């Protein structure tokens, strides 16, 4: 995993302010047999408008520091994220087309033939972008919930063996479905909320399962507001009682807990 945590470190950035990330590979040597996955890394910022040399091309992977070579003796790679919207070159500015603004993005390993296996092992994290509308600041722009009330949740599933190690079926190239459901790497998690509005960024890192989410108070399905699809804000918020996404997709929802009387929501 990135920094040994699932999901990896939350990166928050602003449009027009570039970011440079240095990825260090401290995974074991590729000479050490693994049940699945590979200890080489190429990191892709999913949906980011990124220069080709920093885009995490599947064959642009680099070695671990435990496998030093003459080209990369220290086992790291720098990637430059300019944080611009699509169309900025055509427009001749460093801003880009405002309709192409993406808020909820994520980064993940992208190694040729090993992407699903490495992501399943935990190599993914959250990358949030902000601008003049989606500001990340209290009371500014669209006044969306922010800071402690802006919660990314990665939903994934896993299979475990008798020693509680994850299992991956290398003979099933159509994908694998787990029997344990995890949110941010935790089985059967819970989250204490305040009586206010929350923004939940819902992610499905994969490798195979489609997800549909609802809020259930034990008697009824509760309405909430959908504000984005795959990182793009919708023209208007839409009130719904469920949202469905496939692998690598995202959706942002707003839940106002001040209007919910139940003490526990599923």
């Amino acid at each position: 995993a990135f920094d040994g945590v699932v999901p990896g470190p939350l990166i928050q950035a602003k449009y027009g302010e570039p970011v440079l990330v240095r990825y260090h590979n401290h995974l074991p040597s590729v000479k050490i047999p693994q049940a699945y996955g590979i200890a080489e890394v190429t990191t892709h910022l999913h949906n980011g408008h990124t220069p080709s040399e920093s885009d995490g091309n599947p064959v642009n992977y680099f070695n671990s520091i435990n496998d030093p070579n003459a080209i990369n003796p220290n086992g790291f790679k720098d990637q430059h994220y300019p944080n611009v919207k699509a169309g900025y070159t055509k427009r001749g500015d460093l801003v880009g087309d405002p309709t192409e603004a993406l808020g909820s993005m994520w980064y993940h390993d992208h190694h040729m033939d090993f992407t699903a296996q490495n992501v399943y092992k935990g190599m993914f994290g959250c990358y949030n972008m902000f601008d003049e509308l989606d500001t990340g600041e209290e009371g500014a722009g669209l006044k969306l919930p922010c800071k402690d009330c802006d919660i990314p949740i990665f939903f994934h599933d896993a299979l475990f063996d008798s020693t509680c190690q994850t299992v991956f079926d290398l003979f099933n190239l159509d994908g694998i479905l787990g029997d344990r459901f995890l949110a941010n790497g935790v089985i059967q998690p819970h989250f204490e909320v305040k009586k206010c509005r929350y923004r939940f960024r819902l992610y499905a890192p994969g490798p195979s399962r489609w997800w549909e989410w609802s809020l259930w108070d034990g008697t009824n399905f509760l309405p909430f507001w959908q504000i984005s699809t795959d990182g793009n804000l919708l023209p208007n918020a839409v009130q719904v009682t469920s949202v469905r996404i496939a692998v690598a997709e995202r959706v942002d929802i707003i839940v106002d807990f001040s209007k919910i009387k139940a003490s526990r929501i599923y």
Side-chain angles (χ1 to χ4, degrees):
F2 293 98
D3 276 10
V5 294
V6 177
L10 170 62
I11 299 176
Q12 294 178 307
K14 293 182 179 180
Y15 277 104
E17 295 183 6
V19 167
L20 185 71
V21 181
R22 174 166 290 182
Y23 292 96
H24 294 267
N25 184 352
H26 289 272
L27 293 171
S29 169
V30 292
K31 301 180 181 67
I32 299 176
Q34 302 286 327
Y36 65 92
I38 196 167
E40 297 167 332
V41 176
T42 175
T43 307
H44 176 58
L45 178 56
H46 199 99
N47 280 145
H49 301 296
T50 307
S52 59
E53 72 277 3
S54 296
D55 195 42
N57 186 292
V59 296
N60 196 20
Y61 48 83
F62 65 96
N63 55 284
S64 166
I65 195 172
N66 296 304
D67 290 308
N69 56 44
I71 296 175
N72 192 351
N74 297 314
F76 70 81
K77 178 176 172 55
D78 292 335
Q79 292 194 190
H80 171 233
Y81 302 133
N83 296 328
V84 292
K85 302 163 189 174
Y88 75 95
T89 51
K90 181 178 179 181
R91 289 163 53 103
D93 58 25
L94 293 176
V95 179
D97 184 350
T99 64
E100 293 284 350
L102 290 159
S104 297
M105 294 193 288
W106 65 302
Y107 58 91
H108 60 82
D109 183 72
H110 209 213
H111 194 296
M112 173 71 84
D113 294 331
F114 288 93
T115 297
Q117 297 173 49
N118 282 0
V119 172
Y120 177 78
K121 273 195 167 182
M123 297 191 68
F124 56 85
C126 189
Y127 192 105
N128 292 345
M129 292 288 296
F130 298 97
D131 60 13
E132 65 279 1
L133 293 178
D134 188 358
T135 64
E137 300 294 335
E138 291 282 355
L142 296 175
K143 300 181 174 61
L144 297 173
C146 60
K147 301 187 186 317
D148 291 342
C149 295
D150 181 355
I151 311 296
I153 308 177
F154 286 81
F155 289 91
H156 48 120
D157 50 321
L159 286 169
F160 294 91
D161 64 17
S162 59
T163 65
C164 295
Q165 299 303 300
T166 53
V167 175
F168 194 95
D169 184 359
L170 295 173
F171 294 94
N172 182 2
L173 299 182
D174 290 328
I176 185 171
L177 296 176
D179 60 358
R180 294 294 182 268
F181 306 119
L182 301 91
N184 290 345
V186 179
I187 298 174
Q188 293 183 318
H190 70 278
F191 182 62
E192 300 288 340
V193 299
K194 296 178 287 187
K195 288 283 187 178
C196 64
R197 293 190 310 147
Y198 278 78
R199 174 183 187 167
F200 295 108
R201 303 173 189 255
L202 309 181
Y203 293 77
S208 306
R209 186 177 296 279
W210 291 56
W211 299 83
E212 184 163 7
W213 296 283
S214 300
L215 295 178
W216 174 256
D217 66 2
T219 304
N220 301 299
F221 289 108
L222 305 178
F224 53 89
W225 295 92
Q226 179 179 349
I227 63 169
S228 83
T229 56
D230 283 346
N232 292 89
L233 289 177
L234 298 171
N236 297 286
V238 179
Q239 192 172 51
V240 296
T241 55
S242 71
V243 290
R244 181 190 300 172
I245 65 175
V247 176
E249 293 182 337
R250 291 90 65 206
V251 66
D252 290 30
I253 65 172
I254 303 290
V255 181
D256 189 348
F257 290 99
S258 68
K259 297 180 179 179
I260 296 176
K261 296 180 179 179
S263 61
R264 178 174 295 181
I265 303 296
Y266 298 91

